[in-house]
Amino acid sequence: MARFLIFIFLGIVACQSPIPFHKTIDIETETPNRFFEAVSKYMVSKQICVITNQAGIGRLLLVPAIEKRKFPTRLHEMLAYYDASLVKIFTPEHGLSAQEEESGNQHKLKFPVIGTYKLKVPDLTREFESCQEIVFDLPDAGIRPFTYRTIMTRSMRAFEKGNFKRKRFWILDVPNPASYLKAQGPITQKKYFSILGEQEIPFFPYYTYGELALKYYYRHKMK
């Protein structure tokens, strides 16, 4: 059975929510190592794929961390520290640096860098076949017409349709910067669904990625 997990960082407390169950893990390490340390037992000897850009853990592919830390500072080095391997990078609109055209990726890395902006669900399902653990980590803009949120829901559908056994889809939740506005604005209609939005939510949805993922999971009766 495919497993979807929501990972929420609050101070030094990380909440891991395997749908439909919930539990809390207390962690006392620095970001970004909290996630890797907390889930290292799931990552051992696994092939890891990440959906990210420079605002998420993808920044660890572009520049090394300045601070001296106990752990390696490059993303693939961090995973290797836990005997895991990074096999694919999936980027949203404007690539890994968030400064490129549509699905372009100018950065040459030792792993495939795949733009998801123009990929459909069947395409993503095929790309996910070589992934054993998939980590989604992208920033939120707080508004409905945002392609990153669509990448999340399309990836969730692709993951489910693949009927992958013993694989997990991790969502690293982030704050919604417009949550103080509460939910307001017109709700999109299905006939207007596009890469800019495929959920019936208000213009200011109020919810975080993790909350919308839970809503999407239950509404579409994912397994």
Side-chain angles (χ1 to χ4, degrees):
M1 178 183 293
R3 297 280 283 174
F4 292 87
L5 299 99
I6 313 299
F7 219 91
I8 305 172
F9 290 125
L10 296 172
I12 61 171
V13 178
C15 303
Q16 175 186 296
S17 304
I19 299 171
F21 307 104
H22 305 269
K23 66 178 179 179
T24 300
I25 302 174
D26 292 330
I27 306 166
E28 296 183 357
T29 56
E30 296 181 4
T31 303
N33 297 314
R34 290 183 295 179
F35 173 71
F36 295 109
E37 184 171 278
V39 304
S40 59
K41 64 180 179 180
Y42 300 107
M43 301 287 182
V44 174
S45 301
K46 295 291 185 66
Q47 293 183 314
I48 314 301
C49 296
V50 296
I51 305 171
T52 188
N53 67 3
Q54 51 80 31
I57 55 178
R59 68 188 181 278
L60 301 176
L61 291 166
L62 297 175
V63 292
I66 297 175
E67 303 90 344
K68 291 183 179 180
R69 293 179 175 172
K70 175 182 176 182
F71 298 101
T73 55
R74 292 280 192 178
L75 181 57
H76 54 285
E77 293 171 348
M78 286 183 176
L79 290 171
Y81 183 87
Y82 297 111
D83 296 321
S85 57
L86 182 61
V87 294
K88 286 182 181 178
I89 305 295
F90 294 93
T91 62
E93 184 181 11
H94 303 306
L96 186 60
S97 66
Q99 298 178 340
E100 303 172 44
E101 294 296 327
E102 291 188 348
S103 56
N105 276 299
Q106 62 184 359
H107 296 279
K108 304 299 181 183
L109 302 174
K110 59 176 65 176
F111 350 88
V113 180
I114 302 164
T116 60
Y117 181 64
K118 294 182 178 179
L119 296 185
K120 303 298 183 182
V121 171
D123 302 320
L124 287 168
T125 299
R126 286 192 295 272
E127 293 290 352
F128 288 166
E129 288 178 357
S130 59
C131 308
Q132 293 178 297
E133 304 285 337
I134 302 171
V135 180
F136 176 93
D137 183 24
L138 287 171
D140 193 354
I143 57 175
R144 183 188 65 228
F146 195 48
T147 60
Y148 293 8
R149 190 176 294 107
T150 304
I151 295 303
M152 179 186 73
T153 54
R154 286 185 179 181
S155 296
M156 289 176 67
R157 296 206 308 274
F159 187 74
E160 184 197 30
K161 289 183 180 298
N163 194 28
F164 299 125
K165 303 296 183 181
R166 298 182 180 180
K167 296 188 178 185
R168 298 179 182 85
F169 188 101
W170 302 81
I171 297 175
L172 276 62
D173 205 5
V174 294
N176 180 328
S179 60
Y180 69 95
L181 295 173
K182 305 299 182 182
Q184 61 175 294
I187 297 175
T188 189
Q189 300 176 37
K190 286 186 178 180
K191 63 181 179 180
Y192 297 123
F193 279 7
S194 70
I195 186 66
L196 292 176
E198 295 181 343
Q199 288 180 283
E200 294 179 277
I201 55 178
F203 187 85
F204 293 104
Y206 178 67
Y207 300 107
T208 66
Y209 281 142
E211 292 166 334
L212 284 171
L214 283 168
K215 174 182 173 67
Y216 195 81
Y217 177 90
Y218 286 116
R219 182 164 188 172
H220 292 269
K221 299 178 180 179
M222 292 183 166
K223 298 179 180 180

